[in-house]
Amino acid sequence: MDSATSDARTPLGASADNGLKIVVVGGFGVGKTTLVRSVSEIRPLNTEETMTKAGEAFDDISEVRGKSATTVAFDFGRVTLDARNVLYLFGAPGQERFWFLWDRLFSGTLGAVVLVDTRRIGDSWYAIDRLEHHGTPFIVACNDFGGPTYAPQQIREALDLDPHIPLLDCDARSRASAKQVLITLVEHVKSVYGATGPARPEVPAPHQELAL
């Protein structure tokens, strides 16, 4: 598997002048930090803290027993699309007690990825609701936790997704898979903003050669 947690740092190109903000959201423990870490071309900024027994009173860890750390603010990474365009990735915290941060993170966001664990599909409803409230284009990516397999239509019905919203499978640990998620999002954002007119940041044409 093409997993990546390299410590290599890639300098930002001097010609890069179009920064595009992307937010990765979803329920607690769905792989948001992992996705940002696997695809970022720089060492990601993580605000992870060790989980304690005291936190169990607030966070449902029944489905994530192996999780030892959790994001308490946001994750940050960077991906160069081409000489001019750069994606800035923000991973939102998943616990309900940190949801108050989401509206601030959504400010100025071009688009979002909603990560879903199909074993806990209901945990993603709030993320979708907030994105729809803000009018932020988004796609849904089902992270592979080895759980039960559902047909795409079943997932769409469970999440009440509009037909035009892209839905795909991914493995957040894989750089190649995370890269495809971002390509799908850029394609979707371009189609949405192209249909609704100007007054949005310039969105580059999607391609398969993200500079990773």
Side-chain angles (χ1 to χ4, degrees):
M1 180 174 59
D2 184 18
S3 62
T5 54
S6 172
D7 287 338
R9 291 176 173 83
T10 302
L12 183 63
S15 59
D17 61 0
N18 190 31
L20 308 170
K21 181 180 178 183
I22 300 298
V23 174
V24 183
V25 293
F28 179 46
V30 296
K32 299 178 295 294
T33 297
T34 301
L35 187 143
V36 172
R37 182 181 296 145
S38 68
V39 79
S40 177
E41 67 192 15
I42 60 173
R43 181 183 295 172
L45 167 66
N46 298 130
T47 57
E48 288 192 313
E49 295 292 341
T50 301
M51 296 177 64
T52 64
K53 292 291 290 184
E56 293 182 12
F58 303 96
D59 304 323
D60 181 6
I61 64 169
S62 59
E63 296 291 343
V64 287
R65 289 292 180 183
K67 190 172 176 61
S68 60
T70 185
T71 299
V72 296
F74 61 85
D75 305 307
F76 174 77
R78 189 187 78 203
V79 177
T80 297
L81 290 177
D82 53 38
R84 290 193 55 211
N85 299 286
V86 179
L87 292 183
Y88 293 110
L89 309 177
F90 291 81
Q95 303 100 305
E96 184 175 352
R97 57 194 166 113
F98 295 127
W99 285 353
F100 70 93
L101 294 170
W102 286 19
D103 286 346
R104 290 185 177 272
L105 282 176
F106 292 164
S107 177
T109 296
L110 183 74
V113 174
V114 178
L115 270 186
V116 172
D117 178 352
T118 56
R119 301 171 303 173
R120 302 177 286 129
I121 200 164
D123 290 357
S124 301
W125 291 341
Y126 182 78
I128 292 174
D129 177 74
R130 297 314 299 163
L131 290 168
E132 290 178 340
H133 173 78
H134 283 269
T136 303
F138 66 92
I139 67 169
V140 174
C142 297
N143 196 10
D144 181 13
F145 284 93
T149 300
Y150 297 100
Q153 188 56 36
Q154 290 177 295
I155 297 174
R156 286 188 177 278
E157 291 176 359
L159 293 174
D160 194 24
L161 284 184
D162 287 342
H164 73 278
I165 296 175
L167 171 67
L168 69 160
D169 295 323
C170 77
D171 184 337
R173 301 166 297 178
S174 165
R175 177 172 291 179
S177 183
K179 172 177 153 181
Q180 186 56 52
V181 169
L182 295 183
I183 289 171
T184 302
L185 177 61
V186 172
E187 289 175 339
H188 179 58
V189 167
K190 191 168 182 66
S191 68
V192 169
Y193 289 158
T196 57
R200 291 291 183 176
E202 177 185 346
V203 184
H207 50 79
Q208 299 294 319
E209 299 301 326
L210 290 180
L212 300 178

